């Protein structure tokens, strides 16, 4: 939703209405088992998509941290994961400066495979 879809839109000039990604189930460590479905409308006149070559990294414009927890794992575990991510980001001042603090979201997932 936040990476794949904008990449398709930007690099292939596809309309967002032509792409329908759906996360049907998130997978969690250690079992995994997540599932994503993506439907893309056919291209007009059998036009082929150009290759996607992502070799240069652009500037970081925003950092979002979304921590999911499920099963018998408590929200405090998700908070610990979030805090650890912020700590790692702060070690690299180019990524996480006081001017650019990450937005944080902690989500309890009820439709998941695995215990955490």
């Amino acid at each position: 939703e936040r990476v794949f879809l904008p990449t398709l839109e930007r690099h292939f000039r596809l309309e967002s209405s032509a792409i329908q990604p759906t996360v049907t189930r998130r997978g969690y460590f250690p079992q995994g088992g997540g599932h994503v479905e993506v439907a893309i409308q056919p291209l007009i006149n059998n036009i082929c998509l150009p290759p996607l070559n992502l070799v240069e990294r652009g500037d970081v414009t925003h950092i979002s941290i979304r921590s999911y927890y499920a099963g018998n794992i408590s929200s405090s575990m998700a908070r610990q994961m979030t805090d650890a991510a912020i700590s790692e980001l702060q070690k690299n001042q180019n990524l996480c400066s006081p001017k650019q603090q990450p937005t944080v979201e902690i989500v309890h997932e009820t439709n998941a495979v695995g215990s955490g």
Side-chain angles (χ1 to χ4, degrees):
E1 297 172 4
R2 298 177 186 259
V3 177
F4 182 65
L5 182 60
T7 299
L8 290 178
E9 291 172 349
R10 184 175 338 137
H11 291 284
F12 300 128
R13 294 185 180 99
L14 296 174
E15 298 287 330
S16 60
S17 61
I19 311 163
Q20 289 125 3
T22 304
V23 177
T24 57
R25 183 179 61 227
R26 297 188 191 283
Y28 292 89
F29 177 84
Q31 194 170 0
H35 189 256
V36 177
E37 295 179 4
V38 179
I40 301 175
Q41 292 179 1
L43 298 175
I44 299 172
N45 299 327
N46 295 324
I47 296 173
C48 293
L49 294 176
L52 178 61
N53 190 3
L54 301 174
V55 294
E56 293 185 25
R57 184 173 128 183
D59 294 331
V60 176
T61 59
H62 182 77
I63 299 171
S64 296
I65 299 171
R66 186 180 291 172
S67 182
Y68 291 89
Y69 68 101
N72 58 8
I73 302 299
S74 71
S75 63
S76 64
M77 179 61 76
R79 173 51 67 187
Q80 288 175 1
M81 291 187 293
T82 300
D83 291 345
I86 291 171
S87 176
E88 288 299 314
L89 287 168
Q90 288 173 339
K91 290 178 184 177
N92 184 340
Q93 291 298 315
N94 294 332
L95 288 178
C96 190
S97 67
K99 293 179 183 176
Q100 185 171 346
Q101 290 299 307
T103 58
V104 174
E105 183 180 4
I106 295 177
V107 180
H108 180 240
E109 183 66 56
T110 57
N111 180 24
V113 175
S115 60

